[in-house]
Amino acid sequence: MAGCMNPEFLDVINYSICRALNARLGDKSVQFFREVGEHHLNEAISRGFVKIDPDGKPLDNLIGVARYLESTGYMEKIVIDRLSDSEAFVEMYGVSVTESSVRLLREGNHPSHFMTNIMLAALSRLGIQAELKDVSFDEKARKFKEHWRILK
């Protein structure tokens, strides 16, 4: 079944689910999507797609999650540019849910942030929190950039 799903299908489903959840939960949808990230991580670990090394560096664990997301086709490429052991720029290229995410934001709704929430869940599993800020996005190029800082 590899290669069967059209990324535009995921984008349509993402918009539909997020729109319905925003209508039902409003601002509480942000917490709901965080919980989805936790369940996503648990499922990815149980299926052997992701490994979290409790003795590893936080950013190394995030890189493992990034490789998983690339392998699924969720996005074409993730570049994690380490600024230090606790800080990095995360650039996402070819994000499959770009159109739906941008549309949701323009409508004042909360997008799913699948990548962000699974990575936050991975850090949480290590007893770590992170702070992140959107740096830039290019809708046409389907590229996003975030600044991540690991909080101990």
Side-chain angles (χ1 to χ4, degrees):
M1 274 180 77
C4 294
M5 189 167 62
N6 181 325
E8 291 178 2
F9 173 76
L10 179 59
D11 197 46
V12 168
I13 293 300
N14 183 62
Y15 178 80
S16 303
I17 291 170
C18 291
R19 188 67 190 90
L21 282 166
N22 276 272
R24 170 116 7 188
L25 300 176
D27 286 338
K28 292 180 181 177
S29 61
V30 173
Q31 182 56 39
F32 177 88
F33 292 130
R34 291 269 164 94
E35 292 172 22
V36 169
E38 292 168 13
H39 290 289
H40 182 184
L41 178 66
N42 291 337
E43 191 65 20
I45 289 170
S46 73
R47 293 185 186 208
F49 300 138
V50 173
K51 292 181 182 167
I52 301 298
D53 179 0
D55 299 319
K57 293 180 180 178
L59 290 177
D60 289 340
N61 280 292
L62 294 184
I63 289 168
V65 173
R67 297 297 81 88
Y68 156 69
L69 291 169
E70 289 172 345
S71 75
T72 65
Y74 177 69
M75 56 187 64
E76 293 169 9
K77 183 176 167 185
I78 302 174
V79 175
I80 298 178
D81 180 17
R82 291 178 200 242
L83 304 175
S84 70
D85 279 344
S86 63
E87 199 169 4
F89 282 119
V90 177
E91 294 183 85
M92 300 147 277
Y93 298 88
V95 178
S96 61
V97 295
T98 297
E99 186 177 331
S100 59
S101 297
V102 170
R103 184 174 169 196
L104 288 159
L105 288 168
R106 286 188 178 138
E107 294 171 351
N109 291 301
H110 301 285
S112 57
H113 290 299
F114 289 123
M115 186 223 67
T116 301
N117 286 319
I118 192 173
M119 287 188 168
L120 288 172
L123 291 175
S124 178
R125 185 166 285 218
L126 298 170
I128 296 170
Q129 293 183 331
E131 163 183 280
L132 62 122
K133 295 179 184 171
D134 290 325
V135 174
S136 63
F137 77 91
D138 181 338
E139 181 179 1
K140 196 170 201 98
R142 297 178 15 218
K143 177 185 169 194
F144 296 81
K145 184 175 184 178
E146 297 173 339
H147 179 245
W148 283 65
R149 194 166 64 90
I150 305 296
L151 308 173
K152 299 281 177 176

